[in-house]
Amino acid sequence: MTNPVPNLEAELPIRQLVITLVLIGMSIAALPIGFHLLEMRDPYVQQVLAKPGVTDRGYEIFQVNCAACHGATGDGMVGPSLRAVGDRKSRLGLIHQVISGETPPMPKFQPSPEVMADLLAYLESLK
Ligand code: HEC
């Protein structure tokens, strides 16, 4: 037996649920884009990218803060090998990796823009 009159009372909550789920899905999908734009305009990122960055100084900073996990030459130990990491990650991606603390056990670092620029130069020199 078919009922030609749709049961509105039963359909309404389902429609609301579907709409809510679609809206949540859209906001989640937009999140990375939002963060990306935010970071490009981030004054810290702009200060880092404005500095030339000295590879030798970056090497020293790396030995003190990063080598315990990534190895003295970035070949990897607890942390992954950083060889040619500059080909895999953008400059923004590298800065984000160092300052975000999003991938434990790697800690969140807060280097000054100058120190970050030196680190960036060193990371990009790893072939
Ligand atoms: C406590 C250990 C630890 C320390 C200290 C550490 N890292 Fe890491 N690092 C990791 C781990 C683990 C990952 C992998 C994270 C993941 O993707 O899940 C990682 C990932 C990375 C990546 C991304 C590699 C890729 O292939 O995408 C970069 C770049 C990096 N680390 C740079 C650094 C730098 C620069 C420092 C020092 C300022 C540092 N790390 C200090 C553990 C560490």
Side-chain angles (χ1 to χ4, degrees):
M1 187 185 97
T2 50
N3 180 1
V5 184
N7 185 346
L8 277 180
E9 268 178 43
E11 262 184 32
L12 215 56
I14 294 171
R15 260 184 228 171
Q16 281 169 345
L17 184 71
V18 168
I19 290 170
T20 310
L21 288 178
V22 168
L23 286 178
I24 291 174
M26 280 163 62
S27 352
I28 291 173
L31 271 181
I33 303 166
F35 281 136
H36 189 73
L37 291 176
L38 190 74
E39 285 192 71
M40 283 304 278
R41 284 185 273 120
D42 189 318
Y44 176 78
V45 170
Q46 286 178 353
Q47 281 171 331
V48 172
L49 297 182
K51 304 224 182 310
V54 182
T55 306
D56 288 352
R57 278 209 307 255
Y59 170 81
E60 281 160 24
I61 298 157
F62 189 88
Q63 296 314 309
V64 175
N65 298 283
C66 325
C69 288
H70 290 286
T73 54
D75 272 339
M77 284 164 63
V78 178
S81 167
L82 300 180
R83 274 176 187 256
V85 72
D87 298 340
R88 298 195 292 279
K89 274 189 151 54
S90 66
R91 310 194 87 194
L92 201 61
L94 289 171
I95 297 172
H96 186 77
Q97 176 70 39
V98 172
I99 68 173
S100 73
E102 273 175 11
T103 58
M106 178 160 159
K108 176 188 182 119
F109 293 91
Q110 295 180 302
S112 69
E114 186 161 26
V115 168
M116 186 63 237
D118 294 342
L119 258 181
L120 196 55
Y122 175 69
L123 290 174
E124 290 190 311
S125 79
L126 293 172
K127 288 298 157 217

